[in-house]
Amino acid sequence: MPQNRPRAFISGALPGRALAGGSVLDPLREVADCHVWEGQGSPGEGALREALHESEGLLCLLTDRVDRALIEACPRLRVISSCSVGVDHIDLGAASERGIVVGNTPGVLTDATADLAFGLLLAAARRLVEGDRFVREGHWRAERRWYPSMFLGADLSGKTLGVLGLGPIGRAVARRAAGFGMRVVGWTRSMREVEGVETLALPEVLAQSDFVSVHVALAEETRGLIGEKAIAAMKPTAILINTARGGIVDEAALAEALASGALFAAALDVFADEPLAPESPLRDLPNVVLAPHMGSATHRTREAMARMAVENLRAGLLGEPLAACVNPEVIQRS
Ligand code: DGY
């Protein structure tokens, strides 16, 4: 066994096997000593700090908070590879200052996340979860077997979908909407042109859309983007879908709008604080579909994310370019 192999800490068990059998971690084990967190849940700040003190590499999940204090406490750290496309749990400024390269997993989760966004859109439009509860809770009775005004929801065809953020996932949602006969309008900070999408200013998208689906990354500029003012600009018949990050939507303002009828419904896969607090008013609203951050949760996608995160970490430890790097300036200046 060669001496001075780097040490890599993996903050949770990863799904999937290597393509030829064995563990998804095998390519990493070839170049580094791997230590996988085996405790309950996520490691937490103290355990992360302890594990990373001697580590050159970290493979983390979006539940690990990799902040400036942690980065500064880990003198040997050279590579952070997150098994996620979103990297808002990592202080990128602090990592870049220290010359630490940060990798993520874009692309492989685009379709799975777009599918879930569209599934949530349909569920909210057609009141599927309400219907499911109605049947299970024994309210579906012979004397009211079917009647014309039972569980009326919203149509999709001919309606307008507003896509906020026209990256790969937003564009994949737009393609699905076209298949359902919807008009698609969109907003992105760069106002880029996207085929099949009419790019408009944000207030226009909000005002014209029957459905608004959020696909921007969480950053200082997008935190609270959908607050009281944005919600008031939407049609009262509109449905909001969020599969991006909870912090983009002001949950208190949303709950108020949904309760008062200022907004028809919402479908949310992500929340400002996860898991969603027991006292969140969103839990009591019948016109909200709730999901536990499962946009990329398919067997194939999670395996692909794990493989990509492993490859990113391996490449970084070997001093090679990462397949997906969110701070490439670190490599360019080294
Ligand atoms: C991500 O990757 O950022 C998603 O939120 C989880 O797949």
Side-chain angles (χ1 to χ4, degrees):
M1 176 88 37
Q3 292 299 302
N4 302 327
R5 276 159 58 89
R7 182 187 145 105
F9 179 67
I10 295 96
S11 74
L14 298 175
R17 297 173 164 277
L19 290 178
S23 158
V24 74
L25 284 178
D26 287 351
L28 192 56
R29 289 205 170 101
E30 284 169 14
V31 302
D33 291 333
C34 295
H35 299 262
V36 181
W37 171 252
E38 283 172 355
Q40 284 269 313
S42 313
E45 197 194 324
L48 258 185
R49 193 178 277 241
E50 200 184 310
L52 285 181
H53 191 68
E54 297 295 319
S55 296
E56 280 79 9
L58 165 66
L59 195 158
C60 65
L61 306 179
L62 56 83
T63 44
D64 301 313
R65 198 172 143 72
V66 186
D67 57 14
R68 180 174 287 276
L70 178 67
I71 288 170
E72 283 174 356
C74 304
R76 301 173 72 108
L77 199 58
R78 291 193 274 123
V79 192
I80 299 171
S81 171
S82 187
C83 189
S84 63
V85 67
V87 287
D88 47 285
H89 53 296
I90 302 171
D91 187 328
L92 290 182
S96 297
E97 277 170 35
R98 272 272 319 279
I100 297 172
V101 280
V102 180
N104 67 339
T105 61
V108 292
L109 46 64
T110 298
D111 283 322
T113 309
D115 286 346
L116 190 93
F118 221 82
L120 288 174
L121 183 155
L122 280 164
R126 300 303 302 272
R127 304 172 61 185
L128 272 176
V129 177
E130 274 182 86
D132 179 274
R133 268 190 226 121
F134 184 79
V135 176
R136 285 176 201 276
E137 291 171 5
H139 304 297
W140 196 26
R141 304 228 173 86
E143 63 276 17
R144 298 209 70 166
R145 188 160 64 94
W146 189 93
Y147 51 96
S149 61
M150 191 179 181
F151 279 108
L152 301 187
D155 284 294
L156 270 65
S157 69
K159 295 293 183 69
T160 299
L161 168 69
V163 180
L164 306 186
L166 293 167
I169 299 173
R171 298 200 302 271
V173 169
R175 287 195 296 277
R176 282 155 178 75
F180 277 77
M182 302 176 86
R183 168 185 175 236
V184 186
V185 298
W187 169 80
T188 183
R189 274 187 293 154
S190 65
M191 291 302 275
R192 65 196 284 202
E193 292 296 321
V194 169
E195 203 190 317
V197 180
E198 225 177 292
T199 309
L200 300 173
L202 181 59
E204 280 303 303
V205 172
L206 296 171
Q208 292 188 21
S209 298
D210 300 293
F211 300 86
V212 173
S213 193
V214 180
H215 300 286
V216 291
L218 177 61
E220 275 329 298
E221 314 80 63
T222 57
R223 192 175 290 282
L225 181 74
I226 306 300
E228 208 178 327
K229 199 168 142 219
I231 293 169
M234 290 168 69
K235 299 180 183 179
T237 49
I239 295 177
L240 178 74
I241 302 105
N242 188 8
T243 52
R245 282 294 183 269
I248 298 160
V249 174
D250 177 339
E251 287 170 8
L254 176 65
E256 212 173 294
L258 290 164
S260 70
L263 203 62
F264 178 66
L268 310 170
D269 182 45
V270 287
F271 304 90
D273 288 313
E274 296 178 359
L276 184 63
E279 62 277 13
S280 167
L282 292 168
R283 287 181 184 259
D284 299 324
L285 294 167
N287 49 347
V288 187
V289 178
L290 301 171
H293 202 147
M294 54 196 261
S296 62
T298 70
H299 292 287
R300 189 180 68 184
T301 298
R302 286 284 163 81
E303 286 200 26
M305 289 168 70
R307 252 197 294 281
M308 191 165 179
V310 165
E311 288 302 338
N312 276 340
L313 186 49
R314 178 189 153 102
L317 290 174
L318 290 173
E320 294 170 358
L322 277 58
C325 179
V326 291
N327 60 348
E329 68 278 6
V330 168
I331 303 171
Q332 278 146 22
R333 70 170 187 244
S334 66

